[in-house]
Amino acid sequence: MIGIVVVSHSPRLAQAAVDLAVEMVGVNGPAIAIAAGAGAGVIGTDASKVAEAIAEVSSPEGVLVMMDLGSAVMSAEMALEFSDDPDLPVRLSSGPFVEGLMAAVVRAAGGATLDEVEREARGALRAKQIHLGDEDPAGLPVDSGPAAEHTIEVTLLNPDGLHARPVSMLVTAISAFEATVTVANLRTGRPPVPANSPTALLIVGARKGDTISVAAAGRQAVEALEAVSELVGKGFGELAAAHAPAPRPACSASRPQARPQARPQGGAPSSGPLGVSPGFAVGPIVRMQEPVDEPGPAVALPLRERAAAAERIVAAAASVALALRDKAARVSGAARGILEATALMAADPGLIDAAVSRVTGQGHTPERAVWAAVGEVTAVFKEQGGLLAERVSDLHDVRNRIVSELLGRPAPGLPDRVEPYVLVARDLAPADTALIDPTVCRAIVTVEGGPTSHTAILARALGLPAVVAARDAMDLPEGSVVIVDGTTGEIVVAPTDEQVLRAEEQIRRVITFDGAGRTRDGHRVQLLANVASPDSVAAAIEANAEGVGLFRTEFCFLDHAEAPGLDEQVAAYRRVFAGFPGKKVTIRTLDAGADKPLAFVTAADEVNPALGIRGYRTAWQRPELLDTQLQAIAAAAAAEDADVGVMAPMIATVDESVDFAARCAAHGLHNVGVMIETPAAAITAGPILERVDFASLGTNDLAQYTMAADRLMGELALLNDPWQPAVLRMIREACQAGLAAGKPVGVCGEAAADPMLAAILVGLGATSLSMSPRALGGVAEFLRGVTVDQCRDAALAAVAAGSADAARSAAALLLEPTRA
Ligand code: PEP
Ligand code: MG
């Protein structure tokens, strides 16, 4: 096989071009060496590097050198003069850099000679030129073969037609025969192209269902056609994946259970439907309109039409952004922020430019161009995983809206209903979830999503039961009645009358909290509310919360491009403090990063943001942000009557606690605490509590970090469970340190909202529990039914259990009987 050298001014450009070419041949390609850049990050070329690269891939069959522009050619020419091996056949290709390299790599992989490869690379633009109607496509005929002796017609079966991989397989297969083969797509009626040219084959644009005519001449013409026929018949090996059996059914038809469903013991936990927002709902299923179909592969637009087509993209994106901003103006709170953020994405100049250049440069239709431009960004997001992957649904939402606009269709979105219904969707974009009318939508069920996805957060804020990761939900028939249990994640299809009656009883059962948390024997436990923004204070007051145990300040500024000023912060904090005069309000300083990026704080390029610069760590780099915030908290606290405590998120060391306490003291803030949400903080809670006045357990993150399980991944929900004995032991460690120091240690993670777990937390020594306001009644009622000794016994048993399920069962055994 010949060797190939790639000479470019830019190492990144060279690597990207090589990656693209290698994608076509996998591991079976020729040796390739890159000579790019002039060293130390300088753009340029260097003849000695080219000479080294030629030596690296030299082979008796020869070396082909592909170059980008200008001095790359001169450097390559000079390199030939340095050569120690005057007999080594080296050819400098005048072929186009990207197309030529790709054609050369594929032909070389098929064992072609240096002459053949060089010819292929040189002519690599011809198919594009012919396709775009150039008068003189480099003077090269498209079909240079002799008259065909044999012809077959075959229909493409594989899902994506003749894309890069099948093209590569075809070229490689044909190269094994002494035959000249051409391919024509009968759908387009364009002239045949040589089947040994990957670029030409790609431009044939053959997709699933198209019939291609394959003609061959030469000694092994018949064998070559047989090989083609076999490859096409097997769908180029892509049929198996496309026909893979559907995943196991995940929705059950059984009656709701009082306890969470049985979970697999040992081994890797499997994920099923997850209840992410508690409550029962009964109603007929209404499916969310499926997103628009992917627009067909581009048939290139004529040059004269491209400017107008590009303009249509700009206009459609502007109109979508405007419609979203209009909707944002009609709602408030989190919904408003989310809609505004989605509008910003729709107007993103980077995205629009990328789509426009696909129209002007490649002649894509506007809808295809938008689809592809978004696809490029989402591919990167998916690869990065975690939080970025969760943004994919936002971008798809924007894409679908713009494509619908371009196609003149109504915007995809929520069903327009006045009768109650249960919404079933593949995935809900935040912009849609924010607009759900909770008076008609009774529950949300999605196929995708994790427990802390936007869907879950917003469903809880709307007070709607919600289930995510219900893999088969889209198969449920439209209009069929279901019972949804937002706690266990169970979906009962076609329930009996008795089941419906029982569920309706549950729905009617509104448990109110009298404003003083205590166990049956009078042990006081403060029951507080988690608050996300000034707008959510009303719900906390209405639910009779004893105060605020966690005010997540970062949620106030999710949509800010710049850091909020002092006055804006003072005003926001005062609104929350004013809701609880004389009562406890614990405000947390910005917890930016990971699942809650703030544009003005968070670096967008962290590989592993959950373990990166988040929480208190942002103050290492931006101490002025923390100081302004503490100044604002002090001013707001002085102006209102709340009993204000300040705490820092994501503390991992005693030093950070000391630093935080000192900064607070400098601003006259004295009731200072830290969150315990890293195993490090839990284990060193003793020394930490010597330096601060209180601690609050963030069990969401504590579970994530203890179990090494991403809290955003539905698949890991069984590991990411605060009932895991390892997590309970961490909590115990921190609570015991609090008891020893005589300082309060509360819980403000989601664990506090699980009534039975709340009793365990009390048994472990938690002095307060903070939760979403809707959970207060249920937790208060459960605690009223048990004594503190029962809580302690149950806590001991749960901590000693061998698994999360065993911990639940042990707790249920010790807590349930006396409640009956
Ligand atoms: C937690 O981690 O439990 C917590 C309360 O903080 P957040 O959910 O905001 O990360
Ligand atoms: Mg946290």
Side-chain angles (χ1 to χ4, degrees):
M1 222 183 267
I2 70 154
I4 294 181
V5 168
V6 179
V7 184
S8 169
H9 286 64
S10 153
R12 282 166 62 202
L13 174 63
Q15 191 57 58
V18 169
D19 288 348
L20 187 66
V22 169
E23 182 75 28
M24 305 278 279
V25 294
V27 292
N28 303 318
I32 304 176
I34 290 176
V42 177
I43 293 279
T45 57
D46 176 343
S48 59
K49 279 191 177 186
V50 182
E52 278 166 26
I54 292 173
E56 191 185 325
V57 296
S58 71
S59 101
E61 278 76 34
V63 174
L64 184 70
V65 182
M66 301 300 305
M67 298 146 287
D68 59 9
L69 39 134
S71 70
V73 181
M74 276 149 26
S75 296
E77 284 172 337
M78 275 170 70
L80 293 191
E81 288 167 23
F82 300 158
S83 172
D84 316 328
D85 181 359
D87 297 331
L88 176 69
V90 181
R91 203 72 58 73
L92 306 188
S93 169
S94 64
F97 187 64
V98 176
E99 289 91 340
L101 176 62
M102 198 165 83
V105 168
V106 173
R107 284 288 271 146
T113 63
L114 181 59
D115 277 348
E116 287 167 338
V117 175
E118 193 268 329
R119 201 176 322 119
E120 181 69 31
R122 185 155 32 94
L125 273 186
R126 65 190 166 195
K128 195 198 267 181
Q129 289 166 329
I130 286 172
H131 185 86
L132 296 178
D134 283 7
E135 291 288 295
D136 176 16
L140 292 164
V142 171
D143 172 15
S144 54
E149 292 158 2
H150 302 275
T151 306
I152 55 168
E153 287 182 4
V154 281
T155 300
L156 295 179
L157 304 172
N158 61 314
D160 296 312
L162 277 189
H163 66 94
R165 205 182 70 90
V167 159
S168 162
M169 291 170 83
L170 207 59
V171 174
T172 312
I174 288 169
S175 66
F177 301 103
E178 210 180 287
T180 307
V181 183
T182 63
V183 172
N185 185 349
L186 297 185
R187 179 175 56 80
T188 61
R190 293 215 186 89
V193 299
N196 59 4
S197 166
T199 42
L201 281 177
L202 279 175
I203 292 174
V204 159
R207 49 195 196 218
K208 183 181 176 187
D210 282 358
T211 300
I212 56 170
S213 166
V214 189
R219 197 175 67 78
Q220 291 182 303
V222 172
E223 289 87 329
L225 290 180
E226 278 171 359
V228 173
S229 173
E230 190 179 339
L231 274 177
V232 173
K234 288 185 174 160
F236 298 93
E238 293 178 347
L239 296 181
H243 291 272
R248 69 185 169 79
C251 303
S252 90
S254 64
R255 60 172 288 246
Q257 296 163 1
R259 293 266 138 241
Q261 292 164 301
R263 288 149 197 260
Q265 299 296 316
S270 68
S271 66
L274 297 169
V276 293
S277 181
F280 280 94
V282 182
I285 285 176
V286 174
R287 273 202 299 264
M288 182 94 168
Q289 204 184 321
E290 282 281 283
V292 281
D293 286 339
E294 177 171 357
V299 173
L301 294 173
L303 276 172
R304 64 180 178 285
E305 289 176 17
R306 295 184 187 177
E311 273 307 309
R312 289 187 55 225
I313 293 182
V314 178
S319 139
V320 167
L322 185 69
L324 286 165
R325 276 198 300 272
D326 267 4
K327 281 185 183 175
R330 282 183 264 124
V331 296
S332 60
R336 186 182 200 135
I338 287 166
L339 283 168
E340 281 169 351
T342 311
L344 275 182
M345 268 191 227
D348 180 342
L351 211 57
I352 296 171
D353 282 355
V356 162
S357 64
R358 281 171 176 274
V359 173
T360 51
Q362 298 161 46
H364 280 188
T365 58
E367 20 336 321
R368 177 78 197 161
V370 169
W371 197 277
V374 173
E376 253 169 30
V377 181
T378 53
V380 177
F381 280 23
K382 280 183 189 158
E383 204 174 292
Q384 298 284 327
L387 178 71
L388 274 185
E390 290 219 350
R391 294 283 74 75
V392 166
S393 67
D394 303 10
L395 273 164
H396 283 165
D397 176 46
V398 165
R399 176 197 69 191
N400 294 349
R401 285 169 192 272
I402 299 178
V403 170
S404 299
E405 177 76 21
L406 285 165
L407 295 173
R409 294 216 217 130
L414 292 167
D416 199 9
R417 300 254 312 188
V418 287
E419 297 296 320
Y421 68 97
V422 169
L423 181 67
V424 172
R426 183 157 300 285
D427 196 8
L428 268 180
D432 288 321
T433 317
L435 289 175
I436 286 174
D437 177 355
T439 60
V440 279
C441 179
R442 291 288 156 85
I444 300 171
V445 177
T446 63
V447 174
E448 315 284 347
T452 52
S453 60
H454 266 114
T455 309
I457 293 167
L458 288 171
R460 283 196 284 268
L462 288 167
L464 285 177
V467 173
V468 299
R471 300 283 169 231
D472 290 344
M474 289 303 274
D475 297 338
L476 297 173
E478 178 96 3
S480 58
V481 173
V482 287
I483 297 176
V484 178
D485 181 342
T487 305
T488 65
E490 187 160 17
I491 300 161
V492 183
V493 186
T496 62
D497 289 351
E498 195 201 329
Q499 287 174 325
V500 171
L501 279 176
R502 205 172 314 123
E504 284 173 347
E505 251 167 48
Q506 298 274 6
I507 295 166
R508 277 195 298 274
R509 213 170 145 251
V510 180
I511 312 169
T512 48
F513 171 43
D514 65 4
R518 56 192 174 280
T519 57
R520 200 171 73 205
D521 51 342
H523 175 83
R524 274 284 282 136
V525 186
Q526 276 189 320
L527 297 185
L528 309 161
N530 288 353
V531 162
S533 68
D535 288 334
S536 52
V537 173
I541 299 170
E542 205 177 314
N544 278 332
E546 294 188 55
V548 173
L550 169 63
F551 173 17
R552 290 177 160 107
T553 55
E554 64 281 357
F555 277 9
C556 304
F557 312 118
L558 279 179
D559 55 348
H560 279 45
E562 305 290 333
L566 182 69
D567 292 347
E568 181 183 356
Q569 291 193 54
V570 173
Y573 306 155
R574 280 190 67 177
R575 281 180 61 200
V576 176
F577 297 165
F580 289 93
K583 294 193 178 163
K584 174 169 165 174
V585 177
T586 304
I587 180 168
R588 178 173 76 182
T589 56
L590 292 179
D591 181 19
D595 51 326
K596 290 168 290 192
L598 292 182
F600 57 92
V601 192
T602 321
D605 55 355
E606 285 186 346
V607 176
N608 200 345
L611 299 180
I613 311 283
R614 64 163 295 198
Y616 193 64
R617 297 164 191 185
T618 58
W620 301 350
Q621 297 179 329
R622 306 284 307 276
E624 79 286 358
L625 281 181
L626 179 61
D627 278 324
T628 307
Q629 187 171 28
L630 293 176
Q631 197 185 343
I633 293 170
E640 304 292 341
D641 288 332
D643 173 12
V644 174
V646 193
M647 65 181 176
M650 284 295 295
I651 290 294
T653 66
V654 176
D655 284 350
E656 284 173 326
S657 317
V658 172
D659 181 52
F660 182 63
R663 281 168 188 270
C664 289
H667 289 282
L669 291 162
H670 295 297
N671 186 15
V672 176
V674 296
M675 291 208 51
I676 296 194
E677 40 189 357
T678 62
I683 292 167
T684 55
I688 285 177
L689 278 165
E690 282 172 25
R691 274 66 172 202
V692 292
D693 304 307
F694 67 92
S696 186
L697 281 148
T699 49
N700 306 336
D701 278 315
L702 189 58
Q704 155 165 270
Y705 295 125
T706 303
M707 302 306 294
D710 189 336
R711 65 188 264 191
L712 301 182
M713 286 183 70
E715 292 92 325
L716 299 181
L718 297 183
L719 278 180
N720 214 329
D721 179 346
W723 280 96
Q724 286 285 354
V727 181
L728 295 177
R729 283 169 191 239
M730 288 288 170
I731 297 171
R732 180 181 62 179
E733 196 76 30
C735 289
Q736 282 182 352
L739 291 172
K743 295 191 178 170
V745 173
V747 177
C748 63
E750 289 299 307
D754 169 344
M756 191 161 69
L757 186 48
I760 301 298
L761 297 171
V762 170
L764 290 172
T767 51
S768 66
L769 301 173
S770 191
M771 61 204 80
S772 74
R774 279 197 319 132
L776 283 166
V779 169
E781 188 197 58
F782 195 99
L783 292 181
R784 284 291 190 92
V786 292
T787 65
V788 70
D789 280 343
Q790 258 184 296
C791 293
R792 288 180 185 137
D793 290 347
L796 270 178
V799 167
S803 69
D805 275 338
R808 276 189 186 85
S809 307
L813 214 62
L814 291 160
L815 295 170
E816 280 291 294
T818 52
R819 296 175 44 77

